[in-house]
Amino acid sequence: MSGNLSSSAKKVQETLKGFGVSLEVAELPDSTRTSSEAAAAIGCRVEQIAKSLVFRAKESNFPVLVIASGINRVDEKKLKALIGEPVGKADAEYVRENTGFAIGGVPPVGHKKKIKTYIDEDLFQYETIWAAAGTPHAVFRLNPNELLKITGGMPVSIKK
Ligand code: 5CA
């Protein structure tokens, strides 16, 4: 039930509802701020955490979202090749401006601005994955095809 969710988690729950999928946001007592904390709090493998990382295209200043498996590091050179310009890591303020959420709780959907999205192909080997849902305590469970459907992201080879 979403009755007791904080406002940021509720926003994500409403976004998910809008997609017509029955995905349920859960707020956990333990921190889910990082992939390893999230995996520990959920009781899943770090690999199954779909972390939403925001990058900034350095020339256009456009945001780019990479949804990566919790254990992988994103190769910025591969990302550069995909979007056609250099990228850098976004700072906290840029993340909030573009997504409407703070680092540690950035969800894969429901952002303030429309963000071009890439999905780490490694996530497709897991039946069940977990993504952040707006706060450093909120997550939701889904499968990779649902992630594909709700984000409209492009599956790519992106790890270092
Ligand atoms: N809720 C968890 C699991 S989904 C989560 O959001 N994990 S995360 O990995 O997607 O978010 C934390 C990420 O934010 C880190 O991997 C790191 O890339 C980024 N980050 C952490 N601190 C900063 C910072 N000060 N500036 C920019 N990015 C940061």
Side-chain angles (χ1 to χ4, degrees), residues 43-100:
C44 70
R45 291 163 61 193
V46 182
E47 289 91 326
Q48 290 173 276
I49 301 297
K51 58 182 176 185
S52 296
L53 303 175
V54 179
F55 292 84
R56 186 178 69 84
K58 284 182 174 167
E59 287 159 10
S60 61
N61 201 37
F62 277 119
V64 181
L65 182 71
V66 178
I67 306 170
S69 169
I71 46 157
N72 288 346
R73 299 210 52 203
V74 170
D75 186 337
E76 293 185 5
K77 286 195 198 110
K78 286 184 177 175
L79 196 52
K80 176 186 173 184
L82 284 166
I83 69 166
E85 62 177 293
V87 294
K89 206 63 182 287
D91 66 22
E93 193 190 338
Y94 183 88
V95 171
R96 189 184 275 285
E97 258 175 34
N98 284 280
T99 68

Side-chain angles (χ1 to χ4, degrees), residues 32-35 38 49-53 89-92 95 103-106 130-132 135-136 138-139:
T32 60
R33 188 177 56 84
T34 65
S35 295
I49 301 297
K51 58 182 176 185
S52 296
L53 303 175
K89 206 63 182 287
D91 66 22
V95 171
I103 284 169
V106 177
W130 296 79
T135 83
V139 290

Side-chain angles (χ1 to χ4, degrees), residues 7-62:
S7 72
S8 286
K10 209 178 279 174
K11 241 196 278 179
V12 176
Q13 181 67 83
E14 290 306 315
T15 300
L16 294 173
K17 250 190 221 156
F19 287 120
V21 291
S22 59
L23 299 172
E24 193 97 350
V25 170
E27 253 172 338
L28 306 179
D30 290 340
S31 169
T32 60
R33 188 177 56 84
T34 65
S35 295
S36 56
E37 286 177 0
I42 292 161
C44 70
R45 291 163 61 193
V46 182
E47 289 91 326
Q48 290 173 276
I49 301 297
K51 58 182 176 185
S52 296
L53 303 175
V54 179
F55 292 84
R56 186 178 69 84
K58 284 182 174 167
E59 287 159 10
S60 61
N61 201 37
F62 277 119

